[in-house]
Amino acid sequence: MSRPISYRRSASERFGSISKGILLIVVCSLVIVPFMGIVSTSLATPEQVVRSGGFVLFPEGIDLTAYRSIFVGGVVTRSLLVSVFVTGVGTALSLALTATLGWALARKGSFGNRQLLLLVLITLLFNPGLIPSYLVVQQLGLLNSLWALIIPTSVSAFNVIVVRAFFVGLPGEIIDAARIDGASEWQLFRYIGAPLSRAVLTVVGLFYGVGYWNSFFNALLYISDSSMWPLQLVLRTYVVDDAQLGAQDLGTRDEALPPQTSIQMAILVTAIIPILLVYPFLQRHFAKGMLTGAVKG
């Protein structure tokens, strides 16, 4: 006669659950509280910002002066447009190159397949270095061009390997049936490979988009004209380097400027919000895309 199953948890199990809950609350607080402080400081009134020493966690009122100042015109608005262009065009170009290269590497027996795959793996293991990269960009005539922020990082070897792993895992019967029907290699990719790889391409596109949006080092190296700086380089200049934004930079003439801290936090929020808005729409593809190639059956 079998013994009844007891559903009562022991004291050690309850202690473990409570400890995990406390740890989760602490970790979430470490992430949420600074973000709340950034948003609150950007929305607080100038008097409260000055009175609190530059950091406000709970604003007494909503004041949009800092946001009006940075969006009226000038360097912040221009840099935001540059970042949007670089992220949009760069992500589209990177997805196209990564998807087609991954498909080519997945076609075993194609011309130069092994040699090309070896070249991709070499770039994954060895970095060319700062000076050679700069010399290549200079020789291509891309200095002080927005394409210098796109072309040098347009293909990631890691993303190519992820996409290739997905294409290798496609059932061979589907490819063979399409070939019998007379489909060309481009038609195989367009009507079979690309539609079936929507999840993994969404995740790879998210990686590329976040990379382009958050990148500032390439602009620091290749762009000397401040009118072509992306938002992240402006953010670094005015927040990390603690440079001062004046009326000529913000495009405001009539009203008094808010505290420098409020302006810095407003720029920081402007740089964070676009990624936070895009991610929820891509979240459902994230887990599926990340597990691509991990399970074979």
Side-chain angles (χ1 to χ4, degrees), residues 84-101:
V84 171
F85 173 81
V86 171
T87 302
V89 175
T91 301
L93 178 63
S94 296
L95 275 178
L97 294 176
T98 300
T100 52
L101 180 57

Side-chain angles (χ1 to χ4, degrees), residues 227-273:
S227 64
M228 302 175 66
W229 284 359
L231 182 61
Q232 300 299 335
L233 184 54
V234 172
L235 176 66
R236 178 187 180 276
T237 302
Y238 293 111
V239 175
V240 177
D241 293 345
D242 200 23
Q244 296 293 315
L245 277 166
Q248 69 278 5
D249 297 321
L250 297 172
T252 180
R253 296 293 185 272
D254 300 329
E255 60 181 351
L257 290 177
Q260 187 71 13
T261 304
S262 298
I263 295 176
Q264 292 173 343
M265 296 305 169
I267 299 175
L268 188 56
V269 172
T270 303
I272 295 174
I273 290 299

Side-chain angles (χ1 to χ4, degrees), residues 67-121:
Y67 290 95
R68 285 198 302 268
S69 299
I70 65 174
F71 284 118
V72 163
V75 62
V76 177
T77 305
R78 189 167 54 245
S79 65
L80 179 61
L81 296 177
V82 170
S83 289
V84 171
F85 173 81
V86 171
T87 302
V89 175
T91 301
L93 178 63
S94 296
L95 275 178
L97 294 176
T98 300
T100 52
L101 180 57
W103 177 265
L105 293 177
R107 302 299 95 205
K108 296 181 180 179
S110 59
F111 177 76
N113 180 280
R114 296 178 63 87
Q115 292 79 4
L116 187 58
L117 179 59
L118 179 61
L119 289 177
V120 172
L121 293 176

Side-chain angles (χ1 to χ4, degrees), residues 11-296:
S12 60
E13 291 177 341
R14 290 196 299 270
F15 177 77
S17 299
I18 295 174
S19 301
K20 292 177 182 178
I22 294 175
L23 179 61
L24 182 61
I25 293 174
V26 172
V27 172
C28 290
S29 300
L30 293 176
V31 175
I32 294 175
V33 172
F35 182 74
M36 285 180 54
I38 293 171
V39 177
S40 299
T41 304
S42 68
L43 295 174
T45 60
E47 294 79 10
Q48 185 181 5
V49 173
V50 173
R51 188 171 63 250
S52 62
F55 185 82
V56 178
L57 190 57
F58 300 103
E60 298 173 352
I62 303 298
D63 191 310
L64 300 178
T65 305
Y67 290 95
R68 285 198 302 268
S69 299
I70 65 174
F71 284 118
V72 163
V75 62
V76 177
T77 305
R78 189 167 54 245
S79 65
L80 179 61
L81 296 177
V82 170
S83 289
V84 171
F85 173 81
V86 171
T87 302
V89 175
T91 301
L93 178 63
S94 296
L95 275 178
L97 294 176
T98 300
T100 52
L101 180 57
W103 177 265
L105 293 177
R107 302 299 95 205
K108 296 181 180 179
S110 59
F111 177 76
N113 180 280
R114 296 178 63 87
Q115 292 79 4
L116 187 58
L117 179 59
L118 179 61
L119 289 177
V120 172
L121 293 176
I122 289 176
T123 63
L124 182 64
L125 298 174
F126 300 100
N127 191 289
L130 185 61
I131 295 178
S133 299
Y134 182 86
L135 293 177
V136 169
V137 172
Q138 185 183 45
Q139 292 299 318
L140 293 175
L142 297 178
L143 293 180
N144 276 325
S145 169
L146 293 182
W147 292 107
L149 309 181
I150 298 175
I151 294 179
T153 55
S154 57
V155 177
S156 167
F158 173 79
N159 292 334
V160 170
I161 298 302
V162 171
V163 174
R164 176 187 177 274
F166 175 84
F167 287 140
V168 169
L170 290 178
E173 294 81 2
I174 300 178
I175 306 297
D176 295 336
R179 289 189 187 279
I180 293 175
D181 291 337
S184 64
E185 197 66 38
W186 169 250
Q187 290 174 327
L188 289 174
F189 171 74
R190 180 179 178 183
Y191 296 109
I192 297 179
L196 293 178
S197 62
R198 185 175 302 173
V200 66
L201 290 182
T202 300
V203 175
V204 169
L206 180 62
F207 289 160
Y208 278 125
V210 172
Y212 281 117
W213 182 263
N214 289 334
S215 177
F216 72 91
F217 191 65
N218 283 350
L220 189 64
L221 288 178
Y222 307 134
I223 307 295
S224 58
D225 185 359
S226 60
S227 64
M228 302 175 66
W229 284 359
L231 182 61
Q232 300 299 335
L233 184 54
V234 172
L235 176 66
R236 178 187 180 276
T237 302
Y238 293 111
V239 175
V240 177
D241 293 345
D242 200 23
Q244 296 293 315
L245 277 166
Q248 69 278 5
D249 297 321
L250 297 172
T252 180
R253 296 293 185 272
D254 300 329
E255 60 181 351
L257 290 177
Q260 187 71 13
T261 304
S262 298
I263 295 176
Q264 292 173 343
M265 296 305 169
I267 299 175
L268 188 56
V269 172
T270 303
I272 295 174
I273 290 299
I275 299 300
L276 294 181
L277 294 178
V278 170
Y279 181 76
F281 297 99
L282 305 178
Q283 186 178 9
R284 63 191 182 94
H285 299 287
F286 197 81
K288 183 179 178 181
M290 286 302 295
L291 292 176
T292 296
V295 179
K296 297 291 183 181

